[in-house]
Amino acid sequence: MSNLDLLWILLSAFLVFLMQFGFSLIETGTVRTKNTINVAMKNLIDTVFGIIFFWIIGFGLMFGSSNSGFIGIDSFLIDGKNLEQNAIFFFQAMFAATAITIVSGAVAERIRFNAYIIVAIIVASIIYPIFGHWSWNSQGWLKQMGFVDFAGSTVVHSIGAWIGLAGTLVLGARLGKFRKGKVNYFAPSNHNFIVFGVFVLMLAWFGFNAGSLFEFDIQVTLILFNTLISALFGGFAAWLITFINKERTGVEIFSFGIISGLVGITAGCHVFSVYESAFVGFMSAIIMHITNEYLTKKLKIDDPLSVISIHGFAGAWGTLAVAIFTDSQIGLSTFEFILVQTLGLLSAFLFSFVLGLILFLVLQRYKLLRVRKKHEVIGLNTSEHNAKLPWVETIESIVTIMKTGNINKKIYEERDTEVGIVAKFFNYLLAMLREKNENLKKSNTSLHKKAYYDSLTNILNRRGLLEKIKNKPFEDEYSIIIADIDKFKNVNDTYGHDVGDIILSEFASLISKKIRSHDIFARWGGEEFIIVINTSDLNIVQNIAEKIRLDIASSKFTTVGNVTASFGASNFKKKNQNFEDIFKNADEALYQAKKLGRNRVYCY
């Protein structure tokens, strides 16, 4: 390897590494604001874990001495003493990181962060390297048959896409994506980031394709020319689709059209003519659009970044186009060449999709795969990384106030920002609401009762309870018990809502007779009740809850007979905690009580 060739490989590797930045921008811009930090972190973490395990295992499996053309058996944990090998590893490690990042887009907004790390490790160390060995190792069985994928339309992009397809099928759609047979559009968080990301990817792709020649030769000019033309015609085709459909040019389809052109050209950029490259790029965008519409609208597959269509189908088309437009380098006829390319495509799909399916199913089996619903609702920025954005924090504060009915709170007003103006107006509305509420309290005592007491059970409702807590009847010397009737939905479904109302009333009456006169009892909503106990001793609270639970279990309720309930309890753990903190702890305890089989008391 000459010094010039070495320099070219290293410079190309630097460019390929920029693909991580480009994909990060596109993913961050495409997902919703509440998940932007999460997808950025996934792109960073898969670089770390992916390259580590590619060094430990993957590089050897991919480029080590071949065992029957299926796997490499040496070059694991290379020590860096072979200086030329270092350059090859550095370049190929960037490719491995790219393959993993493609999976990230397909499973975005609902996969657990640590589950994604496991996926990145398996892809980088096993799935990608083994197929790469088949296709790129000089002794690989596909390579020996004459399979051609110059820079990875299939080896990198389709492999990542088919693993992503397996992930989307096992994970299922994001909450609210498909409702009543319709596809709901989730608006991107930042269209500018998508555009910036495409610019970065185009630059990085020049290194991706031209660097794969592994020498600084005059042929580099053809590779760069073909790459550029294919990308541009991919964008042109995407624009044409919107023009024919009489739509405005969308940022996503136009950007994804360009990327499709880049993916499609990658397999044969070294042998296509410029005119063939233009056609390949044009058709890549068309194929991307058609397959994405079919997957989303017909099959209801939720792929947030259209990874399957862009990298999977466009990559397959580009690989097949090599046999359609060019001659085989080992003397195969056109028909034989097409058969070999098709075999490579099928092998890639079956190998990566099946292993991906097994991987995701195992993670699902052990409940490691998908985030909980409430975490998906609040966003993975907060639930997975405890990181928040100003807009998200403001929206969450508004939602919390709406849910609790506590209009006495204010949301934070960030000065001299758009979100601060929204917060200021919302606080102004809250102030007006508080004022109106006070006027109503003074003028109509019956309205006061309706506002603070539950009409069905004649006990305090949520607002009434919060009003009492506001007055600090016990200071901070109290605990909370949340009681929830087990499987109450079944009662309503089986006996009707009239019977359900009777059960709620009898349930409230039974608890009212069992609690102490100085404790507070309220209906929080639905079949959920709250008891505020005038003690911070959790042992006393647990005994009270257990007695109530036993009395409920042994009582006979109208029509349905026996009814059980689950209880979650908590007290103050720190001096600076408030009612909401204790409620959250008690609610978590209630969740654990139900998880352990219901009809039990669990203390936080």
Side-chain angles (χ1 to χ4, degrees), residues 165-226:
L165 172 61
T168 60
L169 293 177
V170 177
L171 275 165
R174 292 168 289 175
L175 294 177
K177 180 62 179 178
F178 303 109
R179 284 184 180 173
K180 298 179 180 179
K182 295 183 179 180
V183 180
N184 290 323
Y185 175 68
F186 291 161
S189 61
N190 194 317
H191 289 89
N192 288 335
F193 277 13
I194 300 174
V195 175
F196 299 156
V198 173
F199 275 120
V200 173
L201 280 187
M202 288 183 70
L203 174 63
W205 225 287
F206 295 140
F208 195 87
N209 285 355
S212 294
L213 189 62
F214 291 106
E215 59 180 345
F216 192 67
D217 183 82
I218 193 67
Q219 191 180 3
V220 164
T221 60
L222 177 64
I223 295 172
L224 292 172
F225 196 179
N226 286 344

Side-chain angles (χ1 to χ4, degrees), residues 111-120 360 363 368-370:
I111 191 172
R112 291 178 185 266
F113 188 68
N114 288 332
Y116 179 71
I117 293 176
I118 296 172
V119 172
F360 284 106
L363 291 172
L368 300 172
L369 185 60
R370 183 160 182 158

Side-chain angles (χ1 to χ4, degrees), residues 35-269:
N35 298 310
T36 52
I37 297 170
N38 174 254
V39 297
M41 281 294 294
K42 280 175 14 189
N43 278 271
L44 184 60
I45 204 76
D46 65 32
T47 303
V48 173
F49 281 90
I51 294 180
I52 287 174
F53 281 86
F54 184 71
W55 172 57
I56 296 172
I57 303 172
F59 185 74
L61 288 177
M62 193 166 182
F63 295 104
S65 300
S66 185
N67 182 5
S68 303
F70 286 95
I71 59 171
I73 56 175
D74 54 30
S75 297
F76 302 106
L77 270 172
I78 58 173
D79 57 12
K81 294 180 180 179
N82 185 332
L83 302 184
E84 287 191 1
Q85 187 184 50
N86 292 346
I88 301 300
F89 171 81
F90 186 70
F91 183 78
Q92 293 296 342
M94 303 303 108
F95 274 54
T98 300
I100 303 163
T101 297
I102 291 167
V103 181
S104 170
V107 299
E109 299 199 293
R110 73 266 208 210
I111 191 172
R112 291 178 185 266
F113 188 68
N114 288 332
Y116 179 71
I117 293 176
I118 296 172
V119 172
I121 291 171
I122 299 299
V123 172
S125 61
I126 298 174
I127 302 177
Y128 166 72
I130 290 179
F131 186 80
H133 183 90
W134 299 352
S135 305
W136 284 348
N137 191 292
S138 60
Q139 300 301 313
W141 67 272
L142 276 174
K143 181 75 171 179
Q144 290 288 307
M145 291 182 69
F147 179 73
V148 176
D149 182 7
F150 181 70
S153 287
T154 293
V155 176
V156 178
H157 296 277
S158 290
I159 288 292
W162 303 143
I163 297 169
L165 172 61
T168 60
L169 293 177
V170 177
L171 275 165
R174 292 168 289 175
L175 294 177
K177 180 62 179 178
F178 303 109
R179 284 184 180 173
K180 298 179 180 179
K182 295 183 179 180
V183 180
N184 290 323
Y185 175 68
F186 291 161
S189 61
N190 194 317
H191 289 89
N192 288 335
F193 277 13
I194 300 174
V195 175
F196 299 156
V198 173
F199 275 120
V200 173
L201 280 187
M202 288 183 70
L203 174 63
W205 225 287
F206 295 140
F208 195 87
N209 285 355
S212 294
L213 189 62
F214 291 106
E215 59 180 345
F216 192 67
D217 183 82
I218 193 67
Q219 191 180 3
V220 164
T221 60
L222 177 64
I223 295 172
L224 292 172
F225 196 179
N226 286 344
T227 301
L228 176 63
I229 290 298
S230 183
L232 299 181
F233 271 81
F236 171 65
W239 171 83
L240 197 61
I241 290 169
T242 59
F243 181 78
I244 293 173
N245 293 333
K246 298 181 179 179
E247 299 172 351
R248 294 175 181 172
T249 305
V251 172
E252 293 141 287
I253 186 173
F254 186 66
S255 299
F256 293 169
I258 294 172
I259 301 172
S260 298
L262 290 167
V263 172
I265 196 62
T266 297
C269 56

Side-chain angles (χ1 to χ4, degrees), residues 397-407 409 411 426 430:
S397 299
I398 293 172
V399 170
T400 300
I401 291 172
M402 292 171 64
K403 283 185 175 180
T404 61
N406 185 6
I407 61 174
K409 291 185 68 175
I411 61 176
F426 186 78
L430 287 178

